[in-house]
């Protein structure tokens, strides 16, 4: 699966996302601020692995979210591969827990997401 395909799958399963013309519009998983990315190229956002791949995380849709590039970069620099994670394991686990809880709070079924992208389509 390409990066853009994964970004689309994430957007489809996040209730904050709507597709407007050629852009997905929503809220950053980390900061909650407004976010927009190009549905065809993925430009404008990053994929956040809540449990980093370097620490055993996967591309499972419950482990990934869409973020601002800056937010994703700061989490990576400050926590995921840094001594701070090892020095402050309780704070790191609290961050991971908060992001997991937010991703689950935003979760929507993929079938519903199709309806959200295509309101003219009726579910059987």
């Amino acid at each position: 699966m390409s990066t853009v395909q994964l970004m689309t799958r994430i957007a489809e399963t996040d209730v904050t996302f709507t597709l407007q013309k050629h852009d997905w519009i929503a809220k950053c998983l980390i900061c909650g601020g407004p976010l927009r990315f190009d549905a065809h190229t993925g430009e404008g956002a990053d994929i956040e692995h809540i449990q980093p791949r370097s620490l055993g995380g996967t591309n499972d849709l419950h482990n990934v979210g869409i973020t601002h590039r800056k937010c994703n970069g700061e989490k990576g620099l400050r926590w995921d591969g840094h001594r701070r994670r090892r020095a402050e394991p309780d704070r790191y686990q609290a961050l991971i827990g908060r992001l997991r809880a937010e991703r689950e709070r935003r979760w929507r079924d993929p079938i519903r997401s199709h309806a959200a992208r295509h309101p003219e389509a009726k579910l059987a």
Side-chain angles (χ1 to χ4, degrees):
M1 177 180 305
S2 74
T3 299
V4 174
Q5 289 170 326
L6 180 56
M7 291 175 84
T8 297
R9 295 283 294 148
I10 297 165
E12 289 174 341
T13 59
D14 184 323
V15 298
T16 69
F17 277 87
T18 58
L19 185 61
Q20 295 181 6
K21 295 192 180 192
H22 302 290
D23 291 333
W24 282 102
I25 300 170
K27 296 181 185 251
C28 173
L29 180 68
I30 294 175
C31 76
L35 176 93
R36 174 186 297 256
F37 76 89
D38 185 291
H40 300 295
T41 66
E43 282 296 314
D46 270 356
I47 296 173
E48 162 62 24
H49 288 80
I50 297 167
Q51 178 72 34
R53 289 181 289 177
S54 62
L55 299 173
T58 68
N59 283 344
D60 177 85
L61 291 174
H62 291 274
N63 187 54
V64 289
I66 303 293
T67 65
H68 296 114
R69 288 191 171 137
K70 182 178 179 181
C71 292
N72 190 20
E74 285 181 10
K75 177 181 174 272
L77 285 173
R78 293 178 187 227
W79 289 104
D80 294 338
H82 196 272
R83 287 176 276 169
R84 189 171 177 186
R85 171 178 46 85
R86 292 186 293 271
E88 301 179 63
D90 292 341
R91 286 188 65 201
Y92 182 69
Q93 288 307 314
L95 171 64
I96 298 299
R98 181 183 69 78
L99 293 176
R100 282 192 194 286
E102 180 63 10
R103 180 65 172 122
E104 291 307 312
R105 185 187 71 74
R106 295 177 175 203
W107 184 261
R108 71 172 158 208
D109 258 358
I111 189 96
R112 287 191 191 144
S113 66
H114 178 77
R117 287 186 304 148
H118 304 284
E120 69 283 359
K122 294 185 180 182
L123 297 175

